[in-house]
């Protein structure tokens, strides 16, 4: 170690509950075995991401003097030799505070534990992993990142083995010039889960020594034919042949990049309703695809295809019932809970459809006039409805009495296209398709934005009504006025696209986002008109 | 400790909650109401969905709060509760066999519609 005569400073950030204390203890023992003076300090945090935990170790080779060495208890930004992070965002937090510098070696796990703020937005709100990597590479001399959680899982170890894996990675990295034997001795001395942790340590060590962390994970995508076969098997035998014709059509007409997405969509819709439904979907896609011929990655068609497929297979009572009693579901549950074949288990569902979910299944012809009636003022005076009408139930779907109710519901499938809910969703879906077409003709990127906005339609009952309303207002009160304004004033639609993106973010972040977005647009237009 | 109790041979019920990935639409309303660290995000198994969906990790202790909240606030039907019966009694086993047979029968028929 060319820093033999210098003070060695190690910072260990983690999320609470990851065994950071044990990791620190191991490192301290290693230094003691090697004949160093060492001090470790720990700041505990909360395991619900209320706070990070930080451990800090300082060590110095033993000197023969009468005065004892006094170590610092606080790490200094810019003056850390090793950062050993147990989770990627924690590394980001530590680097943000400036602890990384060009003399720092960073060994970190790249797995994530999501914070509550990341879980809230309706669209993706996860902090970009790419940013964290850039940060780690920029603020260190050497960065070793490995997904310790994945490694643990692949080797049949639990989450708590992550700290041992990271210790092995640190050992093999060469940042500390210490033999493997000292680490193993230290772990035995501390005595916490010795066998498993030594196994994990070796795995981490080998992983870094064999340079595996530098190889990009080449995802072996399932081949096209296997994909088709797998999907066809899950479909009802009557529908298989007809669907194959449609798949053949995709192979002929559409580029390879869109193949899988379109095939998945067709299977999904055929399973949801029928093959004629898939055909209808393909016709809509074709219209948009014709506008997309000249682009490289067909972003417009891709986004439209994904969102339309999800929307056309909206989850009504029939679909939920179908999914809940599917035997594949119970196989999946068994696998997830690591159950053996002979273990007995019960599955109870929490179902609470509201009034609209139930009468939405009935034919539009009867229901529509009744609904219109209930919305009139006269009706609301006669019967003011303060509380929502819902039908809560907790069927035990693994028993035959429980699943009977749901099975009965799936028999309504053939009436779905005539139902009230179908009419309602379809009219908004048409608006979506027409808007995408209209705005794509004006400007390609604007069209992509509108196509992307289809993904804010999510949820059940109130959530769905709210998101559908948000989408409606997004097109009418945000994109429409802005694009009209820009069409008159100039050739580019940059303002529309920019404000549109900001609006989508506002809508996704909070439940009243659409109001804020409309306000923003009004402000922008007022400013521009002035 | 649970393993010890199972070894004694007494009937023990373990509870865990779960979320159906094909029923969850990814609106995260459940997470807004509930701060449980086991209720987290996961990539959707369907390539059509770009945004993450809800998922309950193995660290779930089975308190059932997430399910109750989704139920009471009329959020969504994705939650389910699994009760694993360790050391099942004879009645448990017979019940399981009957249910299994019936489910197999109706699901094969159900595909026909």
């Amino acid at each position: 170690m060319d820093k033999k005569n210098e003070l060695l400073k190690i910072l260990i950030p983690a999320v609470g509950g990851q065994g950071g204390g044990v990791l620190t203890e191991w490192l301290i023992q290693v230094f003691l075995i090697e004949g160093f003076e060492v001090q470790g300090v720990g700041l505990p945090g909360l395991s619900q991401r209320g706070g990070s935990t930080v451990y800090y170790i300082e060590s110095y080779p033993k000197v023969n003097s009468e005065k004892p060495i006094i170590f610092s208890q606080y790490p200094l930004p810019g003056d850390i030799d090793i950062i050993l992070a147990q989770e990627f965002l924690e590394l980001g937090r530590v680097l943000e505070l400036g602890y990384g510098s060009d003399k720092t070696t960073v060994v970190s796990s790249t797995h994530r534990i999501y914070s509550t703020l990341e879980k809230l937005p309706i669209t993706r709100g996860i902090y970009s992993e790419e940013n964290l990597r850039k940060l780690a590479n920029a603020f260190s001399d050497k960065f070793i990142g490995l997904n310790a959680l994945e490694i643990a899982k692949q080797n049949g170890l639990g989450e708590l083995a992550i700290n041992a894996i990271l210790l092995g990675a640190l050992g093999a990295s060469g940042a500390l010039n210490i033999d493997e034997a000292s680490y193993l001795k230290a772990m035995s001395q501390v005595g916490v889960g010795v066998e498993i942790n030594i196994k994990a340590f070796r795995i981490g060590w080998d992983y870094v020594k064999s340079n595996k962390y530098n190889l990009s994970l080449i995802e072996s995508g399932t081949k096209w034919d296997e994909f088709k076969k797998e999907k066809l098997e899950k479909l009802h035998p009557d529908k298989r042949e007809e669907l194959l014709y449609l798949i053949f059509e995709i192979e002929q007409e559409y580029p390879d990049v869109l193949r899988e997405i379109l095939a998945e969509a067709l299977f999904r819709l055929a399973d949801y309703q029928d093959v004629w439904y898939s055909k209808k979907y393909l016709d809509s896609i074709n219209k948009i695809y014709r506008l997309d011929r000249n682009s490289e990655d067909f972003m417009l068609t891709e986004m439209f295809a994904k969102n339309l497929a999800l929307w056309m297979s909206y989850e009504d009572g029939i679909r939920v019932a179908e999914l809940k009693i599917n035997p594949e579901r119970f196989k999946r549950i068994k696998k997830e809970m690591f159950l053996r074949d002979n273990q007995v288990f019960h599955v109870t569902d929490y179902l609470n459809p509201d009034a609209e979910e139930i009468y939405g299944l009935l034919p539009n012809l009867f229901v529509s006039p009744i609904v219109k009636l209930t919305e009139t003022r006269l009706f609301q005076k006669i019967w003011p409805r303060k509380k929502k009408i819902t039908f809560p139930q907790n069927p035990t779907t693994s028993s035959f009495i429980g699943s009977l109710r749901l099975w009965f519901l799936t028999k309504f499938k053939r009436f779905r296209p005539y139902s009230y809910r179908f009419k309602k969703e379809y009219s908004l879906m048409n608006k979506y398709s027409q808007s995408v077409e209209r705005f794509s003709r004006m400007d390609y990127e604007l069209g992509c934005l509108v196509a992307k906005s289809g993904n804010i339609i999510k949820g059940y009952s109130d959530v769905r009504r709210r998101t559908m309303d948000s989408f409606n207002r997004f097109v009418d009160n945000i994109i429409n006025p802005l694009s009209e304004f820009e069409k008159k004033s100039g050739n580019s639609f940059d303002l529309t696209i920019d404000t549109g993106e900001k609006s989508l973010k506002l809508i996704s972040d909070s439940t009243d986002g659409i109001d804020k977005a409309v306000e923003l647009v009004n402000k922008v237009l007022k400013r521009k008109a002035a | 400790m649970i393993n010890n109790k199972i070894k004694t041979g007494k009937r023990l019920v373990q509870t865990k909650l779960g979320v159906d990935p094909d029923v969850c639409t990814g609106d995260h309303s459940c997470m807004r109401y509930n701060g449980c660290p086991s209720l987290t995000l996961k990539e959707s198994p369907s390539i059509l969905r770009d945004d993450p969906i809800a998922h309950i990790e193995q660290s779930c202790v089975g308190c059932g709060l997430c399910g109750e909240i989704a139920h009471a606030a009329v959020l969504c039907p994705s939650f389910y509760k699994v009760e694993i019966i360790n050391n099942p009694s004879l009645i448990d086993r017979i019940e399981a066999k009957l249910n299994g047979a019936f489910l197999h029968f109706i699901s094969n028929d159900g595909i026909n519609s």
Side-chain angles (χ1 to χ4, degrees), chain A residues 292-487:
Chain A
D292 208 1
R293 278 278 160 76
N294 298 324
S295 74
E296 287 179 0
D297 54 2
F298 306 100
M299 187 59 38
L300 177 67
T301 318
E302 184 182 324
M303 287 202 233
F304 183 67
K306 282 185 182 162
N307 288 327
L308 189 66
L310 289 175
W311 199 336
M312 279 177 84
S313 56
Y314 66 87
E315 287 82 4
D316 59 354
I318 303 169
R319 180 66 169 166
V320 173
E322 195 180 358
L323 292 170
K324 292 278 181 187
I325 60 174
N326 196 349
E328 290 286 324
R329 175 191 185 215
F330 297 105
K331 277 193 212 148
R332 192 201 78 228
I333 294 178
K334 260 197 190 152
K335 203 170 99 180
E336 274 177 15
M337 303 276 167
F338 305 108
L339 295 173
R340 295 180 298 276
D341 273 332
N342 59 352
Q343 270 190 295
V344 178
F345 65 100
H346 293 156
V347 177
T348 314
D349 280 298
Y350 293 89
L351 301 177
N352 200 351
D354 67 352
E356 190 181 329
E357 300 252 354
I358 298 292
Y359 68 66
L361 301 174
L362 300 174
N364 186 39
L365 238 60
F366 306 139
V367 177
S368 182
I370 301 178
V371 170
K372 286 217 184 80
L373 185 68
T374 60
E375 283 171 7
T376 59
R377 284 233 185 100
L378 183 64
F379 188 85
Q380 300 215 340
K381 270 208 191 135
I382 304 176
W383 183 24
R385 212 184 342 132
K386 295 242 175 76
K387 196 163 166 236
K388 267 160 67 89
I389 304 178
T390 64
F391 304 94
Q393 38 189 309
N394 283 314
T396 307
T397 32
S398 52
S399 82
F400 68 83
I401 298 179
S403 48
L404 203 62
R405 284 184 258 186
L406 299 177
W407 178 76
F408 173 66
L409 205 59
T410 64
K411 294 297 170 192
F412 275 73
K413 204 195 256 198
R414 68 196 72 192
F415 302 117
R416 183 162 32 209
Y418 309 104
S419 65
Y420 172 72
R421 175 88 185 271
F422 188 83
K423 184 93 197 305
K424 183 175 171 193
E425 296 273 346
Y426 223 74
S427 70
L428 199 60
M429 252 188 262
N430 274 338
K431 182 169 184 162
Y432 174 59
S433 309
Q434 283 161 9
S435 307
V436 171
E437 197 179 336
R438 181 158 69 102
F439 290 112
S440 306
R441 286 188 204 276
M442 279 191 224
D443 181 88
Y444 186 75
E445 270 201 48
L446 183 59
C448 285
L449 178 69
V450 180
K452 186 171 84 159
S453 70
N455 75 351
I456 59 178
I457 306 274
K458 284 185 174 139
Y460 296 82
S461 339
D462 271 347
V463 178
R464 187 148 193 117
R465 282 191 279 272
R466 192 189 76 224
T467 51
M468 282 170 85
D469 177 57
S470 295
F471 175 75
N472 210 9
R473 289 165 67 186
F474 177 75
V475 172
D476 286 342
N477 301 348
I478 297 182
I479 300 290
N480 223 357
L482 279 171
S483 59
E484 289 295 308
F485 175 74
E486 289 211 281
K487 207 161 55 164

Side-chain angles (χ1 to χ4, degrees), chain A residues 10-12 18-31 33 57 82-87 105-109 144 146 148 151 159-194 196-209:
Chain A
I10 306 179
L11 187 64
I12 305 178
Q18 287 188 303
V22 176
L23 178 59
T24 311
E25 195 54 45
W26 285 331
L27 269 172
I28 290 177
Q29 288 299 320
V30 165
F31 282 121
I33 290 170
I57 299 177
I82 296 175
I83 295 182
L84 181 59
Q86 287 181 266
E87 195 255 352
T105 304
V106 172
V107 177
S108 166
S109 174
I144 298 177
L146 61 155
I151 297 171
E159 273 180 45
L160 289 174
I162 291 177
N163 53 2
I165 294 177
L166 286 173
L167 189 66
L170 176 64
S173 71
L176 300 169
N177 204 355
I178 298 178
D179 282 338
E180 194 177 345
S182 302
Y183 289 102
L184 296 176
K185 191 166 165 203
M187 289 170 92
S188 308
Q189 274 182 1
V190 173
V192 172
V194 180
I196 293 185
N197 283 324
I198 288 188
K199 178 178 170 195
F201 174 86
R202 290 225 165 88
I203 291 172
W205 184 287
D206 291 330
Y207 198 82
V208 171
K209 258 288 185 291

Side-chain angles (χ1 to χ4, degrees), chain B residues 57-77:
Chain B
E57 308 240 302
Q58 276 301 308
S59 49
C60 168
V61 298
C63 69
L65 207 69
C66 49
E68 293 295 331
I69 288 177
H71 204 186
V74 194
L75 292 179
C76 96

Side-chain angles (χ1 to χ4, degrees), chain A residues 119 236 324 346 348 352 460, chain B residues 23 39 71 77 81 83 111:
Chain A
K119 295 187 205 172
H236 191 252
K324 292 278 181 187
H346 293 156
T348 314
N352 200 351
Y460 296 82
Chain B
V23 181
L39 180 61
H71 204 186
K81 177 166 66 172
E83 283 165 319
I111 297 176

